[in-house]
């Protein structure tokens, strides 16, 4: 499946996998999806991710995290903000706070993909890709 919006595709696959309580999920690997997976891992939303060659392209395998006996997913929601049809940009002063700082906003800046917290620290604005909480 060749999706135009690889980020929305990735978020949907993660959302579906957590709802079905899967251990892992696979998404097509691009530089953008790898960067987002790296941020999710650094922030503790996913356990790990690995990249492998398969057929014509590369596949990113993401290991999901759950907590407690009831195996409640760590990720409660993923929300795509900036879409190919409507880009959403934010300068450093107006970076969004997700649920008062409980969640994160993933921002695409000139220095790469990072959380809203890191972008604020470095005084950078950019494209608001998605919210995770």
């Amino acid at each position: 499946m060749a999706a135009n919006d690889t980020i929305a595709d990735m978020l949907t696959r993660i959302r579906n996998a957590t709802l079905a309580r899967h251990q892992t999920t696979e998404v097509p690997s691009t530089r953008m999806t790898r960067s987002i997976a790296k941020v999710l891992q650094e922030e503790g939303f996913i356990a790990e991710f690995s990249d492998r060659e398969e057929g014509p392209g590369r596949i990113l395998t993401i290991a999901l995290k759950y907590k407690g006996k009831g195996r409640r997913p760590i990720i409660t929601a993923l929300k795509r903000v900036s879409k190919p049809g409507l880009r959403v940009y934010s300068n450093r002063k107006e970076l969004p706070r997700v649920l008062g700082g409980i969640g994160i906003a993933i921002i695409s800046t000139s220095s790469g993909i990072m959380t809203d917290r890191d972008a604020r620290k470095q005084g950078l604005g950019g494209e608001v890709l998605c919210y995770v909480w």
Side-chain angles (χ1 to χ4, degrees), residues 7-18:
I7 301 167
D9 181 47
M10 175 189 193
L11 298 178
T12 301
R13 287 178 190 220
I14 293 172
R15 193 180 303 117
N16 291 344
T18 53

Side-chain angles (χ1 to χ4, degrees), residues 74-130:
I74 300 274
I75 297 173
T76 32
L78 297 150
K79 184 171 185 271
R80 181 77 160 110
V81 179
S82 190
K83 303 176 178 81
L86 179 67
R87 301 282 184 198
V88 177
Y89 296 96
S90 197
N91 66 27
R92 64 194 175 94
K93 292 184 187 82
E94 293 162 5
L95 283 171
R97 273 205 161 72
V98 182
L99 293 183
I102 299 167
I104 61 166
I106 298 179
I107 317 285
S108 174
T109 68
S110 53
S111 302
I113 307 287
M114 61 182 73
T115 65
D116 53 323
R117 251 193 320 275
D118 295 339
R120 236 180 249 108
K121 254 184 231 144
Q122 295 180 29
L124 295 166
E127 185 180 351
V128 184
L129 299 175
C130 60

Side-chain angles (χ1 to χ4, degrees), residues 11-76:
L11 298 178
T12 301
R13 287 178 190 220
I14 293 172
R15 193 180 303 117
N16 291 344
T18 53
L19 288 172
R21 302 284 197 271
H22 288 295
Q23 281 303 125
T24 61
T25 185
E26 293 184 340
V27 296
S29 179
T30 62
R31 264 180 47 205
M32 184 66 81
T33 56
R34 279 193 302 276
S35 300
I36 291 172
K38 187 170 178 281
V39 169
L40 290 175
Q41 184 180 20
E42 286 166 0
E43 292 295 313
F45 286 107
I46 61 172
E48 60 187 6
F49 66 96
S50 59
D51 200 9
R52 70 175 195 280
E53 197 81 40
E54 190 176 280
R58 300 186 68 75
I59 299 286
L60 196 64
T61 305
I62 298 171
L64 303 167
K65 269 171 97 172
Y66 299 94
K67 61 184 167 211
K69 281 200 169 75
R71 282 177 48 84
R72 289 196 330 275
I74 300 274
I75 297 173
T76 32

